[in-house]
Amino acid sequence: MSRRSHPIQFSLKWRFTIGLAALLLLTISALGWLVLREIKLDQQQKVETDLKQRSELASLRVRQIYLSGSALDDVPTFLRRRGTELAADLSALLNGTHVMLYDSNGKEIGNSMPLSGSADVKDIMVYAKQGKIVYEQSGDSLIYLAPIIWSVGQVGIVQLQLSLKADQAFYSSIALSLRNIGLAALAVSFLLGFIYVQRVTSALRKLRAAADQIRAGHYIGQSPIRRRDELGELSEGITYMSREIEQSLARQKQFIGSVSHEFKTPLTSIIAYSDLLDMYRDDPKLLDEAIVNIRQEADRLLEMVVKVLHLSEMEQYEFSLHAENLDVQESLNAVCSRLRGKAAQFNISIETDLEAAMIRADRESFMHIFLNLLDNAIKYNVPGGSIHIKCRADSNKAVIVIRDTGIGIPEEARAKLFEPFYTVSKDRARLSGGTGLGLSLVKRLVELQQGTVVYSEPPSAAQGSQFTVTFPLLSKKNLQA
Ligand code: ADP
């Protein structure tokens, strides 16, 4: 089955980089546009206020000159006669602004710069004659018309022409700077973004390569990338997963190896007996021996098959637990009564000292655990020996101790006791019909109930073995439920 079917058409790197560039461009353009618009509005406002003040000043000046004269002429005549002179005077007053004067009908009566020609203002003059302030832009200058209004009414119109060159130059230089800064910022952030994304995608590629490697069965021992972010965590996770898979595979291989090996011995023995029986068909002694031995080996095989199946069920999570509120005292008594007969056969007594304790566990698993432990305590006991089972309720757990007066377990064997197929010595396993699977089953079952099981040293004077099992006690809350 092929896992990857589509080649990557548009890599993350390019999506990210192009997206980032578009976003930056948009931001910079919007900012630039806003700044330039503000500048333009500001300039316009300044020019307007400036021209308004100048036109008012001009109007006042004309009135002052008229009044300070002999005032022989009427106003229109005064303006017509002295228009050119007035325009020059106003221009001087207004720092050399180009000033033109018109009478109330819009006819030119004075021009401070007669040689420079005059712009065509016919369109806006209409409004100026109606007493309104109007202006228009022509090329790089602004033409501003303001009525001269006295108490007698509108007597004329003053036209101011202002060069906008300086403002325009300022505006263009700002626009240019903004563009340059914007482009530089764009380039730098694009580059940085690209480098960053490049590094992220390279990390992702490494992770993918690692995943491919694991898929092909080459497990990795070291994290393919080292980063202190989510990618680093992902990498650690993948490495951990790889190690777990490798270990679990190794365990499985070892288990299968042991199973095949352990199955071989009883089968070889059975085959050997059938060969012997074939050769010595009428040896009654051999027949008796064969019946006993074949039965024993077959029993051992059957027990092994049952336990291996049980163990593998648990490995494969098909194992279902039906947790229920369990009375430890009652359940242990049930286990004991099941094994009392077998113990009596070997002249072994079972003594109990059980405090009341409630736990939450699967009943069948619980029985299995203690049947196995008790069975061992009988199997590896001595004739006339005894077994003590004690249960007490600790602050938050039930502690169950099983002690026997049997042959004990040598110190060097204790570490491996719970491994599948481990037997302290083949001989004693053979004698007792052991498979070496009992304790590994016990451990798995106990752990599935959130419990612990350990081999614990028996009191110094006593000989034998002692196992301690604990389970979390049922909390008060659950007890009422
Ligand atoms: P088995 O089926 O062989 O009993 P177990 O996994 O139950 O397998 O036990 C593993 C080994 O631990 C046994 O072979 C036995 O030698 C030793 N053992 C277990 N329980 C006891 C005990 N109560 N006393 C002495 N030896 C024990």
Side-chain angles (χ1 to χ4, degrees):
M1 190 178 66
S2 127
R3 185 186 54 84
R4 183 160 69 84
S5 41
H6 320 284
I8 293 178
Q9 283 181 340
F10 200 37
S11 85
L12 201 60
K13 180 168 75 188
W14 288 108
R15 282 181 209 216
F16 226 84
T17 315
I18 290 171
L20 183 76
L23 211 68
L24 276 171
L25 204 65
L26 194 74
T27 316
I28 291 171
S29 314
L31 264 175
W33 181 77
L34 277 175
V35 169
L36 289 177
R37 197 184 66 146
E38 275 308 303
I39 291 178
K40 190 149 218 145
L41 283 176
D42 185 59
Q43 282 183 342
Q44 206 172 339
Q45 207 176 17
K46 277 207 186 106
V47 167
E48 271 176 39
T49 341
D50 182 37
L51 284 171
K52 189 151 189 279
Q53 280 171 355
R54 287 185 202 211
S55 67
E56 278 164 9
L57 203 61
S59 182
L60 274 175
R61 177 74 173 168
V62 173
R63 187 175 163 79
Q64 191 188 18
I65 291 175
Y66 174 72
L67 291 178
S68 65
S70 45
L72 287 175
D73 299 330
D74 57 358
V75 183
T77 319
F78 160 77
L79 287 175
R80 207 178 323 117
R81 283 244 222 89
R82 303 191 52 187
T84 312
E85 189 194 328
L86 278 171
D89 182 79
L90 289 177
S91 175
L93 178 73
L94 302 173
N95 304 326
T97 314
H98 183 185
V99 179
M100 287 178 77
L101 284 172
Y102 303 88
D103 65 11
S104 52
N105 296 319
K107 188 167 167 290
E108 181 182 327
I109 50 175
N111 184 349
S112 70
M113 291 180 193
L115 295 180
S116 72
S118 52
D120 177 18
V121 292
K122 247 185 264 141
D123 292 346
I124 53 172
M125 184 56 87
V126 181
Y127 300 101
K129 282 195 288 193
Q130 291 165 11
K132 289 179 185 146
I133 293 176
V134 274
Y135 56 87
E136 74 176 6
Q137 194 175 339
S138 129
D140 53 16
S141 50
L142 191 84
I143 295 164
Y144 185 90
L145 296 184
I148 303 174
I149 297 173
W150 294 351
S151 48
V152 291
Q154 179 169 358
V155 295
I157 293 155
V158 62
Q159 173 189 322
L160 304 175
Q161 189 166 342
L162 202 72
S163 167
L164 292 176
K165 264 191 199 142
D167 277 2
Q168 281 172 347
F170 177 72
Y171 182 85
S172 336
S173 92
I174 294 281
L176 194 71
S177 307
L178 275 177
R179 196 196 65 190
N180 290 344
I181 293 171
L183 282 178
L186 187 72
V188 169
S189 16
F190 186 79
L191 199 72
L192 290 179
F194 187 81
I195 292 172
Y196 181 76
V197 172
Q198 173 90 10
R199 290 182 53 188
V200 168
T201 45
S202 127
L204 282 174
R205 240 177 280 126
K206 278 188 196 151
L207 287 181
R208 214 203 77 179
D212 283 348
Q213 229 180 320
I214 295 170
R215 188 173 119 240
H218 304 298
Y219 299 100
I220 53 172
Q222 282 206 336
S223 186
I225 55 171
R226 279 185 204 294
R227 290 172 68 101
R228 280 194 229 169
D229 56 9
E230 288 85 344
L231 282 174
E233 281 179 3
L234 179 62
S235 174
E236 296 275 321
I238 289 177
T239 316
Y240 182 74
M241 181 187 78
S242 167
R243 271 193 229 125
E244 283 292 303
I245 295 177
E246 193 177 12
Q247 279 170 12
S248 141
L249 268 182
R251 274 200 303 272
Q252 272 177 28
K253 270 189 198 156
Q254 198 191 2
F255 186 73
I256 290 172
S258 310
V259 168
S260 336
H261 181 79
E262 294 299 323
F263 277 29
K264 231 167 98 183
T265 325
L267 282 173
T268 317
S269 170
I270 291 171
I271 289 168
Y273 272 111
S274 82
D275 285 348
L276 280 174
L277 283 176
D278 193 23
M279 273 191 274
Y280 309 102
R281 285 181 180 254
D282 35 41
D283 181 341
K285 228 182 102 203
L286 179 67
L287 189 63
D288 287 347
E289 191 188 316
I291 289 172
V292 173
N293 279 301
I294 289 177
R295 174 72 207 201
Q296 221 174 39
E297 297 294 351
D299 278 348
R300 234 162 79 77
L301 263 179
L302 183 64
E303 194 190 331
M304 259 198 271
V305 171
V306 170
K307 286 186 176 167
V308 164
L309 281 178
H310 203 153
L311 269 175
S312 78
E313 254 177 31
M314 279 191 276
E315 285 297 332
Q316 285 164 11
Y317 307 102
E318 282 171 9
F319 189 68
S320 55
L321 288 169
H322 306 284
E324 55 183 292
N325 295 355
L326 210 75
D327 183 337
V328 175
Q329 208 175 21
E330 180 199 303
S331 310
L332 283 177
N333 277 328
V335 174
C336 291
S337 57
R338 268 219 231 166
L339 284 177
R340 276 224 159 80
K342 185 172 180 182
Q345 276 179 19
F346 297 94
N347 194 19
I348 293 164
S349 63
I350 301 179
E351 290 155 31
T352 54
D353 167 14
L354 307 175
E355 257 179 37
M358 290 295 286
I359 60 169
R360 194 150 179 86
D362 174 55
R363 181 179 295 276
E364 202 169 318
S365 301
F366 184 93
M367 300 298 273
H368 232 96
I369 293 164
F370 291 97
L371 281 172
N372 266 295
L373 289 174
L374 222 61
D375 192 47
N376 279 350
I378 298 171
K379 275 195 305 194
Y380 303 108
N381 218 318
V382 290
S386 64
I387 300 169
H388 289 262
I389 306 174
K390 203 167 113 181
C391 168
R392 61 194 160 81
D394 219 356
S395 60
N396 57 356
K397 54 191 183 205
V399 182
I400 301 153
V401 179
I402 298 181
R403 183 155 58 84
D404 63 59
T405 55
I407 54 177
I409 296 170
E411 193 150 357
E412 65 278 8
R414 291 173 193 167
K416 290 186 152 188
L417 219 46
F418 294 96
E419 285 179 14
F421 294 110
Y422 179 77
T423 50
V424 172
S425 84
K426 293 285 165 200
D427 291 347
R428 91 172 173 180
R430 187 76 27 78
L431 276 175
S432 61
T435 55
L437 286 169
L439 286 181
S440 69
L441 248 175
V442 166
K443 190 171 167 73
R444 288 287 296 141
L445 286 171
V446 168
E447 281 168 358
L448 283 174
Q449 329 284 332
Q450 275 75 49
T452 62
V453 53
V454 288
Y455 176 84
S456 52
E457 195 77 30
S460 58
Q463 63 156 2
S465 316
Q466 177 171 308
F467 287 85
T468 303
V469 186
T470 69
F471 296 107
L473 272 182
L474 198 63
S475 60
K476 292 243 163 55
K477 194 180 72 199
N478 286 341
L479 200 58
Q480 279 155 6

